[in-house]
Amino acid sequence: VRVWGLPLDEANPKATALAGIEKFAQFWQSLGMPASLTEIGAKVEDIPKLIATLGVSDTKAVGRFVPIYAKDAEAIYRSAF
């Protein structure tokens, strides 16, 4: 919020988060950097290969603050397209 100069919508924190994500993507683009997996040539079909590099499964997670399992990683990758 402070970094991007966005107002904090306490009644709708999801709207604040989405606005922050949009500003972050615009920042990357202003640097000429890709802001999505599509922009680097990745395809949805690549998701299983990407998940395999993480070493996660339905029962084995990565991460300490929030454990990320295979289904979580898939959802994250899908949202990055």
Side-chain angles (χ1 to χ4, degrees):
V1 173
R2 286 183 247 156
V3 171
W4 305 116
L6 297 170
L8 174 60
D9 185 346
E10 292 182 19
N12 188 355
K14 184 175 180 178
T16 301
L18 292 173
I21 291 167
E22 180 60 31
K23 286 286 190 179
F24 188 65
Q26 290 172 6
F27 171 70
W28 279 118
Q29 291 168 342
S30 76
L31 298 174
M33 301 292 293
S36 71
L37 291 176
T38 303
E39 292 177 21
I40 63 168
K43 299 178 185 78
V44 173
E45 299 83 39
D46 297 328
I47 291 175
K49 293 177 200 168
L50 294 168
I51 292 171
T53 67
L54 297 175
V56 296
S57 68
D58 292 338
T59 58
K60 182 180 176 196
V62 294
R64 293 201 171 120
F65 183 67
V66 175
I68 298 175
Y69 294 90
K71 66 179 175 58
D72 305 314
E74 180 178 359
I76 292 166
Y77 282 128
R78 287 188 182 280
S79 72
F81 282 92

